[in-house]
Amino acid sequence: MRVLGIETSCDETGVAVYDSKQGLLSDALYSQVKMHAEYGGVVPELASRDHVRKLLPLIREVMAKADLTLADLDGVAYTSGPGLIGALMVGASTGRALALGLGVPAIGVHHMEGHLLAPMLEEQPPAFPFVALLVSGGHTQLVRVDGIGRYELLGESLDDAAGEAFDKAAKMLGLDYPGGPLIAKLAQQGDRSRYRFPRPMTDRPGLEFSFSGLKTFTLNTANAARDEQGRIDPQTLADIACAFEDAVVDTLAIKCKRALQQTGLKQLVIAGGVSANRHLREKLGAMVQKERAELFYARPEFCTDNGAMIAYAGCQRLLAGQQADLTIQCRPRWPLDTLDEI
């Protein structure tokens, strides 16, 4: 089965074609980061308009890369939530109309299920069951995964997601948007012994997260380091970024270790934009080695939002006989553990 995947949940327009026998045939991505950087964050209306502008050209591009025509498609998958409602509507209405015109089934895909299954696109994918850490700008969750649609939420953030905390901490330090990658880059020059930031909620049982207090600690540390002109010297800035990254990564690693021990599982999957963080991968890699477990993640370009993960997830559900009706339904909020099993 050949499936066209469309991702428009936020500020990335992603399109891909996945074949159930041959694997990923082509993919393309357009990022709106430069446009939104001027405003210090994603502007929903601008995001929707840019999806309208770029989606059809990207569909033509991936079909040409795959050396296929639209008539060669067997199904269409699109992100139907969670995300920005206007952005979701662009992809969902385009995908549903395209499927109707072609006479093929369509399926709305859960954005975070796409992320969760993205490592399945690699040469050595994980096998069910496993523990998944979904860590992005909008979500930080630990999930037990026994199969597609068989998800048990083990713990999640009680306030900000880790990716959101990275972006907000970067803004406190005067860095541009998106701040997560900039903090990670700056942290490489930092002295890890200078500052010690708290590891939130690691001194109590459970698998919940909280990063709001860590943001406050970062702001207070940054303010104390400013000179009379309100500036922070470059080395101190790097040291604060390093301490913040260490605190987030250590917190995630501690909770992941706890989740593996509580479930008795030996496979850990990390997915979502923050899973591309090199320090996080190194920390979790060392942890799973001690736990005699295995770590899986997608290649960097498939950690952030992309069409390939939607095409793959949609293909699995279409193969199982699931499909959407003619109603275009988008869900800005959509709990992962309410999905149907395959």
Side-chain angles (χ1 to χ4, degrees):
M1 172 176 273
R2 294 194 187 101
V3 176
L4 178 73
I6 297 173
E7 157 60 23
T8 61
S9 65
C10 191
D11 61 340
E12 312 277 2
T13 312
V15 183
V17 178
Y18 180 82
D19 187 295
S20 57
K21 293 182 179 179
Q22 298 177 320
L24 185 65
L25 301 182
S26 65
D27 71 283
L29 182 72
Y30 174 76
S31 175
Q32 304 174 4
V33 165
K34 289 184 179 179
M35 177 179 66
H36 295 292
E38 180 181 351
Y39 304 95
V42 177
V43 181
E45 180 60 28
L46 295 181
S48 302
R49 292 179 184 180
D50 228 30
H51 287 311
V52 172
R53 184 173 68 90
K54 294 299 295 185
L55 185 52
L56 290 180
L58 283 178
I59 291 175
R60 296 189 189 102
E61 180 182 334
V62 297
M63 297 306 295
K65 282 183 179 178
D67 195 23
L68 298 172
T69 67
L70 292 174
D72 295 315
L73 294 174
D74 301 305
V76 178
Y78 52 85
T79 303
S80 57
L84 302 175
I85 185 62
L88 290 168
M89 283 298 295
V90 175
S93 58
T94 302
R96 194 66 198 82
L98 186 59
L100 181 62
L102 295 173
V104 298
I107 187 77
V109 174
H110 192 291
H111 179 73
M112 295 312 295
E113 180 173 70
H115 276 304
L116 189 154
L117 298 177
M120 298 296 186
L121 293 165
E122 302 303 316
E123 291 185 3
Q124 295 183 326
F128 301 116
F130 56 78
V131 171
L133 171 67
L134 300 177
V135 57
S136 65
H139 297 80
T140 299
Q141 298 177 325
L142 277 166
V143 182
R144 179 187 172 115
V145 181
D146 289 297
I148 297 177
R150 299 174 61 193
Y151 308 131
E152 178 189 354
L153 182 63
L154 303 175
E156 62 184 338
S157 178
L158 302 178
D159 39 63
D160 290 349
E164 183 182 5
F166 263 104
D167 286 341
K168 289 181 177 178
K171 192 171 185 179
M172 296 172 189
L173 299 178
L175 302 177
D176 292 334
Y177 173 86
L182 296 179
I183 280 193
K185 184 177 180 179
L186 192 60
Q188 295 177 21
Q189 308 163 28
D191 178 0
R192 298 192 180 277
S193 63
R194 183 174 177 184
Y195 293 105
R196 170 75 181 183
F197 283 20
R199 275 58 174 163
M201 297 186 71
T202 58
D203 58 348
R204 65 184 75 177
L207 297 172
E208 307 295 339
F209 301 90
S210 173
F211 296 105
S212 60
L214 183 58
K215 288 188 309 177
T216 303
F217 194 94
T218 302
L219 179 61
N220 292 338
T221 303
N223 287 340
R226 298 184 189 280
D227 60 21
E228 294 180 354
Q229 287 74 42
R231 296 171 299 191
I232 304 175
D233 72 83
Q235 186 56 55
T236 299
L237 198 65
D239 295 343
I240 295 174
C242 184
F244 175 82
E245 181 185 55
D246 274 355
V248 174
V249 167
D250 282 356
T251 300
L252 294 173
I254 290 169
K255 298 288 184 170
C256 285
K257 178 180 178 180
R258 194 175 292 174
L260 289 174
Q261 292 175 342
Q262 289 185 10
T263 61
L265 299 179
K266 293 298 182 181
Q267 293 188 110
L268 174 66
V269 166
I270 55 173
V274 182
S275 69
N277 182 283
R278 187 175 70 177
H279 187 43
L280 177 62
R281 292 186 177 194
E282 291 173 351
K283 188 77 175 183
L284 291 177
M287 183 273 290
V288 297
Q289 188 173 14
K290 291 181 181 178
E291 293 295 310
R292 296 183 179 179
E294 294 180 277
L295 179 65
F296 298 87
Y297 43 75
R299 68 197 81 167
E301 60 265 34
F302 291 159
C303 291
T304 54
D305 295 351
N306 63 88
M309 67 183 192
I310 302 303
Y312 176 84
C315 183
Q316 306 314 305
R317 290 192 171 275
L318 287 171
L319 286 171
Q322 298 181 11
Q323 66 181 75
D325 58 23
L326 293 177
T327 304
I328 299 174
Q329 185 176 19
C330 295
R331 306 179 187 181
R333 297 183 181 276
W334 190 4
L336 183 66
D337 56 2
T338 63
L339 297 182
D340 293 333
E341 296 183 10
I342 288 183

